[in-house]
């Protein structure tokens, strides 16, 4: 039974890693290709446009870092920090309805870190 549980946890971790990697790779690419709705959000928040490209590049780099085992934990912690920043941006712009996504992504990162630590 112990081996079955370990295999289930390992599979869960791998699925979550793929979800995080694909999600952040996609989100980063939308910023890098200057999707009009994303650009409008940055303008609404009074952020300079270059920050959209920087955040997009960071998201793409960290998604690759999560996929690569030696940098996984560091990348996950950096993504948690990035999602805390996104939560703060939404809260300071009276967009509390939008904080569920970054909080959920942070929670998934925490689960991966936990599974990484207990499973290796």
């Amino acid at each position: 039974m112990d081996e079955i549980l370990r295999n289930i946890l390992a599979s869960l971790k791998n699925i979550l890693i793929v979800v995080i990697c694909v999600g952040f790779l996609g989100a980063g690419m939308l910023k890098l290709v200057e999707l009009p709705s994303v650009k409008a959000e940055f303008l609404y928040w009074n952020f300079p446009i270059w920050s959209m490209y920087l955040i997009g590049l960071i998201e793409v780099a960290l998604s690759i870092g999560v996929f690569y085992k030696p940098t996984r934990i560091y990348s996950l912690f950096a993504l948690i920090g990035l999602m805390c920043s996104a939560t703060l941006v939404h809260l300071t712009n009276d967009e509390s309805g939008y904080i569920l996504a970054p909080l959920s992504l942070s929670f998934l990162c925490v689960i991966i870190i936990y599974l990484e630590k207990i499973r290796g």
Side-chain angles (χ1 to χ4, degrees):
M1 183 65 177
D2 189 41
E3 187 65 28
I4 293 172
L5 180 60
R6 271 193 277 214
N7 288 336
I8 290 171
L9 291 176
S11 297
L12 175 64
K13 180 182 79 170
N14 289 334
I15 289 168
L16 292 176
I17 287 170
V18 169
V19 167
I20 290 292
C21 288
V22 170
F24 278 101
L25 184 63
M29 291 304 295
L30 291 177
K31 292 172 183 71
L32 292 175
V33 300
E34 200 174 307
L35 188 71
S37 61
V38 175
K39 184 177 180 180
E41 288 176 339
F42 276 78
L43 293 173
Y44 173 77
W45 297 325
N46 292 317
F47 286 178
I49 292 302
W50 62 263
S51 67
M52 177 179 67
Y53 297 113
L54 178 63
I55 293 170
L57 186 62
I58 290 169
E59 287 175 340
V60 168
L62 290 176
S63 70
I64 294 168
V66 170
F67 193 74
Y68 184 57
K69 187 166 176 49
T71 60
R72 182 171 297 148
I73 297 293
Y74 305 111
S75 297
L76 288 166
F77 276 115
L79 284 174
I80 291 169
L82 190 63
M83 290 300 96
C84 289
S85 300
T87 302
L88 196 61
V89 166
H90 289 304
L91 288 175
T92 56
N93 285 283
D94 293 325
E95 300 174 330
S96 59
Y98 293 103
I99 65 170
L100 186 58
L103 291 177
S104 298
L105 290 168
S106 296
F107 183 67
L108 291 179
C109 289
V110 169
I111 291 172
I112 296 170
I113 291 168
Y114 174 75
L115 292 174
E116 189 77 14
K117 289 296 185 184
I118 65 165
R119 178 77 169 110

